[in-house]
Amino acid sequence: MIIQDQPSQRRARRALPAWALGAVVAVYILAVLNRGLWTELHAALAASQGIQGFWGLSVTVCCRLVGNLVLTLALVMWPRIGKALLALLIVISAASAFYADTFGVRLNEEIIQSIFETQRAEAMAMITTGSVTWIALFGVLPAVLVLLVPVRFMPVWRSLSWRAVIVLVAAALMLVPPMLMGRTYVYFERNHRTMYEVFNPYAALSGTFHYLQRDVFRRKRVMVPIGTDATLPPTDASVAPRKRVVVLVVGETARAENQSLQGYARDTNPEMKRAGAIYFSDAWSCGTATTVSVPCMFSDMTRAKFDKPVAKSHWNALDVLQHAGVDVFWRDNDEGCKDVCARVPNDDLTNARVAGLCDADGCVDEVLLADLPERLAKMRSPALLVLHIKGSHGPSYFQRYPSAFNVFKPGCETAEVQTCTYAQTVASYDNTILYTDHILGRVVDTLKAAPDIDSAMMYLSDHGESLGEHDIYLHGADWDTAPTQQKHIPMLMWFSPGWVSDTGMRLECLNQRRVQPASQDNLFHTLLGFFGTRTSVYKPELDLLSGCRG
């Protein structure tokens, strides 16, 4: 029995054996679509030349990589569907190779989640002339050729026996050499594990599998409330209560390095400097991607203990504050709240239609402020309003600010930032920081315009950004290996005179605190501290305001 329709014996003889097609595809993927892998592997092995058994290690690593790909292709090369799956792997590998080689992006689990959960406009920004051309030439065209090549498969039992042999050989390539190298290989693997994040198509397949396993197919956990004992301090009945409002601005992709309040040469924070904001110069993110940092910063877990599925099934700071009696509202102009605002009132303005602020590519961040006075007036006291801005989201930095904020020139007027000079990319990025400063200034001005309200504002970014340093762009690298540009973030606070006097806030104390280490670990407890929330989950040592009140 032959598992393939064959119109004629002549055509069958001309057909390419299935194993041969698989071998050709394997060579193509390894040689053409894994240039980044071989470059990284060469550098890693070059750094290990002094160790004993270097050449054996080199052979071992190559055997493991080849065995991995051979095993993958052997498992997909089945009659009727084999060619289609091979073609799909080529396209996936080509797309992965383009973004890895061009932007230095690594396809880890968090980047895969970002791909699945990104907004349409942001996804479209990544589709450029360069990416389409490259993927068409090195992905789609070879995939079409694979689909057009006539292939013949062996009879069923013979095919199964040969497939078993191939799988065993691939498994041996992956397992036997590492066992022979022992601790030498274990050491190398542990220190260079990230090379698998640029190994195509392994990186995309592995990242997708783990994302689906963790966030899609995993059994939903029962929601666990925390801080159910949370209460607000009693008000003095002898004094007319003043309305109390906190505005938290969650930034996007802003790095500390480009903030003039951090010491940057360009004046990117003029309005916050004028407002007298307290800037925390040693602040760090929980992750290098929104999908990690936003859930992490609002959870009561520190970065060292953060577990996304656990955080997703537990209340966060917004839930605890709402339970205590704070009027909480979330407004979004970015990638969504990553389930953080799932149980509080919220609105999504990413697809709003506001003249002068929105177009087919989305809205600039001032859309969040168009009705800010009215929104604040509707909220009862005490209130927390969260504004999730698009900030400096790349690579289309030039689309993140109105033309009036195109101050630093010449900029990079394309999403293909790798085609711009470093100076141009930085100029456009600095304009996004300047515009974010304007957004914060608008918030402060709105709060100042209501002197009968005790108000405060806090701003911090979700993570930073690489702009081409070390040939790395964007963000999403593993925390341990990510450059500081992706982890060192801006964080600042502003308080109205009424807030300072009515709460006894000592600004000189906070000004001393601002040079000490801070991170997104502090946000949960600082938000509780803003409102004097009393609960067993509150840790004063993680509250940035603790010790500076009264």
Side-chain angles (χ1 to χ4, degrees), residues 245-271:
V245 173
V246 175
V247 177
L248 171 65
V249 182
V250 179
E252 170 67 65
T253 321
R255 67 187 199 179
E257 187 174 306
N258 292 61
Q259 312 290 322
S260 57
L261 290 175
Q262 186 80 33
Y264 188 53
R266 282 176 171 163
D267 191 9
T268 53
N269 307 128
E271 297 198 37

Side-chain angles (χ1 to χ4, degrees), residues 358-410:
C358 305
D359 58 23
D361 296 317
C363 303
V364 293
D365 285 325
E366 281 179 282
V367 71
L368 295 168
L369 311 180
D371 61 344
L372 183 59
E374 293 79 7
R375 167 52 58 188
L376 292 174
K378 291 178 182 178
M379 301 184 75
R380 56 177 174 77
S381 182
L384 171 64
L385 175 62
V386 184
L387 304 178
H388 190 196
I389 65 174
K390 190 169 294 184
S392 305
H393 199 295
S396 301
Y397 306 117
F398 69 102
Q399 293 181 333
R400 301 293 169 249
Y401 49 86
S403 58
F405 290 86
N406 188 19
V407 174
F408 305 112
K409 301 176 181 179

